[in-house]
Amino acid sequence: MMHGEGHDDQTVRQAAPHGGRTTFRGGDRSDREIETLDEFDHVMEGGTLSGFRIQSVDLTERTAVLLSTDTSRSVFLGCPMAPEARAKIQADGALVFPPVPHLPFDPYRGLLYSPDHLFAGLDAGGYETTPDARAYEWFQRTKADGDILASMLRSIHDDAISDALDELLVGARVVGVMGGHAMARDTDAYAGAARLGRELARTGLTVATGGGPGAMEAANLGAYAAPHRDEMLDEALELLAKTPSFSPSVSDWVRAALEVRDRWPGGDASVGIPTWFYGHEPPNAFAGHIAKYFANATREDGLLARCNAGVIFLPGAAGTVQEVFDNATPNYYESRGEPTPMVLVDRTHWTERLPAWPLLKALAQERPMETRIALVDSVAEVPEALARLSA
């Protein structure tokens, strides 16, 4: 175990997005997916694995159970097991997709990433030795080599991540906070974004961001600080300001965040959805649940689609502008149902520097989304605006 999470990545039961009571989803017999060894043992109390999908669970110590259990119509995805167990379940008619050797990631993983997983080994060898950095290096090496195996593994991985994300967010009211990666930790803008994330989390919303540095990290930090006394966030910001950016040292930047988590454990779990496509931007350690993708298009559309309680757009550059209109399009056509709130923050930025607001307002005119958009001057106005647009 490294910093703050308290569980091994592959044995923890999926927790509620607000850090509430952890439950066995496998206890619901309509849920046919098994993603941890605890779930496997729990399901086996029912006496059969027939029809289940078992994802990336190490079954090498469950040979006797597999030899004596009905596994017909089951699917085993990347599960290590004894050869005799594999032969028996294949004879039952189960599908077995074996683990893929020599990969820095698990394409079949059943759970989202945690900071502990992605930054494992940081203290010993620096960021370059962590699973996050090694996955990026593999992606850089294979993304253009035309190898169908590599592209297939990326697709399987990203689909597994989407599945895990959907399972995590069942019943959650998710609000997205978008903004630029360049926002430094020692700025007023960063502090404001952090206080916004804290306020949103304290109202019962699940905060979701692009999972990277800058405004994204600030919002995840704020959500993490939600259950703590107000002074905690001020003290954390002071500590983080000593390492304002992930450049020149990602290792130092991550260590500062992990120091905050160690000093103030037990923060709220928010969601970060980053991508190895922008692998030069590391994920931030304040998102307790990290859905990291290889395909940026899948990641970006999925992030916005899951923000059912609205999206807040802090000042940003090209990427944030793209997200504004990626979100506006389904609201315009109502392709995801009723339009969701959109709040743009910083009037000068969105009307003069990058005048997205006039175009968004023109698009919304005389359409249902017209009553679901707002432009505010500061983050202090966001909670009221979001509540008004949601009414």
Side-chain angles (χ1 to χ4, degrees):
M1 184 172 69
M2 195 171 79
H3 295 270
E5 285 293 304
H7 302 279
D8 178 78
D9 191 68
Q10 288 302 314
T11 59
V12 67
R13 291 166 284 176
Q14 187 68 70
H18 295 294
R21 184 174 65 89
T22 303
T23 58
F24 283 111
R25 290 182 298 102
D28 176 4
R29 302 302 292 184
S30 65
D31 179 3
R32 311 304 290 179
E33 295 179 12
I34 298 173
E35 290 137 349
T36 69
L37 194 59
D38 283 344
E39 284 189 354
F40 178 87
D41 291 339
H42 186 68
V43 167
M44 284 315 304
E45 294 174 6
T48 180
L49 286 173
S50 179
F52 278 85
R53 282 80 173 101
I54 303 92
Q55 284 180 254
S56 194
V57 179
D58 189 340
L59 299 174
T60 52
E61 300 298 323
R62 297 296 186 272
T63 300
V65 173
L66 292 172
L67 292 176
S68 62
T69 300
D70 179 11
T71 58
S72 61
R73 299 183 295 108
S74 296
V75 179
F76 292 80
L77 299 166
C79 298
M81 65 182 71
E84 60 268 32
R86 182 182 301 109
K88 181 266 181 186
I89 64 178
Q90 286 178 319
D92 280 351
L95 289 175
V96 179
F97 294 80
V100 182
H102 312 304
L103 282 179
F105 64 95
D106 178 4
Y108 302 114
R109 62 179 300 112
L111 303 174
L112 298 182
Y113 293 103
S114 68
D116 279 2
H117 179 100
L118 290 178
F119 297 128
L122 179 78
D123 290 338
Y127 174 71
E128 292 74 17
T129 67
T130 64
D132 185 64
R134 289 188 290 113
Y136 176 54
E137 188 277 330
W138 177 89
F139 178 49
Q140 288 292 98
R141 181 163 37 87
T142 63
K143 66 181 181 180
D145 65 4
D147 184 355
I148 190 172
L149 176 62
S151 61
M152 181 183 70
L153 291 172
R154 293 195 296 268
S155 296
I156 291 172
H157 168 274
D158 285 1
D159 191 65
I161 289 295
S162 291
D163 181 66
L165 184 58
D166 285 338
E167 290 168 353
L168 175 78
L169 295 179
V170 170
R173 294 180 62 237
V174 182
V175 60
V177 181
M178 310 296 146
H181 70 274
M183 185 184 289
R185 287 169 165 174
D186 58 354
T187 62
D188 290 340
Y190 185 96
R195 294 187 181 100
L196 172 62
R198 182 178 63 183
E199 179 67 20
L200 295 170
R202 285 178 172 176
T203 65
L205 294 168
T206 296
V207 174
T209 77
M216 297 170 280
E217 182 190 53
N220 288 128
L221 165 64
Y224 183 86
H228 292 280
R229 59 187 175 87
D230 286 354
E231 293 79 7
M232 172 266 175
L233 182 56
D234 295 331
E235 294 168 17
L237 289 168
E238 184 176 349
L239 190 155
L240 292 169
K242 298 174 183 177
T243 314
S245 174
F246 62 92
S247 177
S249 173
V250 174
S251 298
D252 290 346
W253 180 81
V254 175
R255 287 190 185 103
L258 294 175
E259 183 179 347
V260 169
R261 291 172 56 91
D262 280 347
R263 188 175 297 187
W264 294 280
D268 265 6
S270 59
V271 177
I273 307 182
T275 172
W276 280 294
F277 184 81
Y278 297 130
H280 60 288
E281 297 177 14
N284 78 72
F286 293 112
H289 303 291
I290 302 176
K292 191 153 191 179
Y293 288 85
F294 287 106
N296 184 53
T298 303
R299 163 253 189 177
E300 195 161 87
D301 183 70
L303 167 58
L304 295 168
R306 290 173 174 88
C307 294
N308 53 15
V311 184
I312 297 151
F313 298 92
L314 301 174
T320 310
V321 172
Q322 179 177 332
E323 288 162 349
V324 168
F325 293 104
D326 279 350
N327 196 60
T329 300
N331 278 348
Y332 180 90
Y333 289 112
E334 299 182 67
S335 54
R336 295 180 187 144
E338 186 177 347
T340 51
M342 299 178 64
V343 182
L344 277 61
V345 182
D346 190 332
R347 190 176 304 273
T348 299
H349 183 84
W350 293 118
T351 61
E352 297 178 19
R353 294 192 192 102
L354 296 174
W357 173 253
L359 178 53
L360 179 63
K361 190 175 180 181
L363 279 172
Q365 190 172 2
E366 298 182 357
R367 301 189 73 88
M369 69 178 286
E370 186 173 22
T371 60
R372 296 299 179 93
I373 63 171
L375 175 66
V376 299
D377 291 310
S378 69
V379 292
E381 301 172 67
V382 170
E384 185 280 328
L386 189 64
R388 172 168 45 82
L389 298 180
S390 303

